[in-house]
Amino acid sequence: MAAHPFAQIPPGFFAANEILNELPEEVTKQMISDGQKLQSRESESMPLECYEKLLPDSNRKNLSSAINAVLYIIRELSNSSTQEPKALNKILERETDLAKTVRAQFALSFKGEQDGEDAKKKVTKSLALGKLVDIKWKLGMGMASSSCAALKAPFVSLVLSIADKNNTIKRYPLELSIDQFHDFRQTFKTMATQIEQV
């Protein structure tokens, strides 16, 4: 049996509902579509800059909150025991402060998903990637290589331990230059900022 949707509502969720209610219909539709693509791993992100271009007078923090609310709603509706638009609309009416038109956009977006691959299969597929259980790192210095006699380049070595659905742990080693590591670190910092705003 599926878990009760919207059981753990994040802080700021209802304020983000009000922001969603104020957005133009086309922008909300785009956010929902982009959120579903992200959920099904068809895209890698929902860039805030795209929405800032559509809404030049908007507040960056408000847009970020709206994106986080959209992602939360999509995740919760995907985990619902039903994917019927009427039932999803009732769940949204009961659990959110979304306007009727916004609820309808979310509910109808799942009808479109059913026309292709079943929504439950998409969620199962996306969750089958594994769970990060450990990260080990070390800082090293490359002294020489086959192509360079005096390399003297620092690097960061990472080993990611990932558990699959059977709890079998696989280790994935990475070696990054300092610049690559700073990019990697910045990505996690950006993710942490997004999480804090939910």
Side-chain angles (χ1 to χ4, degrees):
M1 187 169 139
H4 177 68
F6 299 91
Q8 296 180 335
I9 294 188
F13 176 71
F14 291 105
N17 283 198
E18 294 305 319
I19 296 166
L20 284 170
N21 289 340
E22 299 298 320
L23 292 177
E25 185 175 335
E26 297 77 30
V27 174
T28 307
K29 280 183 182 178
Q30 185 64 48
M31 279 188 179
I32 294 169
S33 173
D34 291 346
Q36 287 178 326
K37 287 176 184 172
L38 182 63
Q39 176 86 11
S40 64
R41 309 268 189 229
E42 292 174 34
S43 72
E44 294 181 7
S45 67
M46 290 179 63
L48 193 56
E49 296 77 24
C50 294
Y51 304 109
E52 287 177 323
K53 287 178 185 173
L54 292 171
L55 302 164
D57 296 329
S58 62
N59 175 311
R60 186 174 180 90
K61 185 177 179 183
N62 286 351
L63 279 178
S64 181
S65 294
I67 289 170
N68 290 330
V70 166
L71 292 172
Y72 174 74
I73 291 167
I74 290 170
R75 185 175 60 245
E76 293 302 303
L77 292 179
S78 295
N79 290 327
S80 172
S81 59
T82 179
Q83 298 297 302
E84 292 297 318
K86 281 186 177 181
L88 295 177
N89 195 24
K90 286 201 179 291
I91 292 170
L92 290 171
E93 184 177 11
R94 183 182 66 234
E95 303 291 346
T96 71
D97 288 340
L98 294 174
K100 185 177 183 178
T101 55
V102 178
R103 290 193 315 260
Q105 288 178 25
F106 275 103
L108 291 174
S109 72
F110 279 84
K111 183 180 187 307
E113 267 194 12
Q114 286 180 336
D115 294 340
E117 184 182 351
D118 182 54
K120 289 285 184 183
K121 288 179 184 174
K122 280 187 171 184
V123 172
T124 303
K125 181 180 173 184
S126 68
L127 295 176
L129 294 175
K131 178 182 172 185
L132 180 65
V133 285
D134 191 25
I135 298 177
K136 299 218 184 290
W137 64 274
K138 66 180 172 183
L139 182 60
M141 179 71 77
M143 300 308 291
S145 73
S146 60
S147 61
C148 183
L151 190 62
K152 295 184 184 172
F155 65 90
V156 177
S157 178
L158 298 171
V159 178
L160 307 176
S161 298
I162 310 292
D164 66 12
K165 62 184 177 183
N166 300 322
N167 282 333
T168 303
I169 297 176
K170 292 185 181 178
R171 289 174 178 69
Y172 297 93
L174 297 170
E175 198 168 282
L176 306 170
S177 69
I178 296 301
D179 289 339
Q180 289 172 322
F181 178 74
H182 284 299
D183 290 344
F184 186 76
R185 180 184 58 85
Q186 184 60 41
T187 300
F188 276 88
K189 184 178 178 182
T190 303
M191 288 184 333
T193 301
Q194 292 285 328
I195 290 169
E196 288 173 5
Q197 293 177 358
V198 174

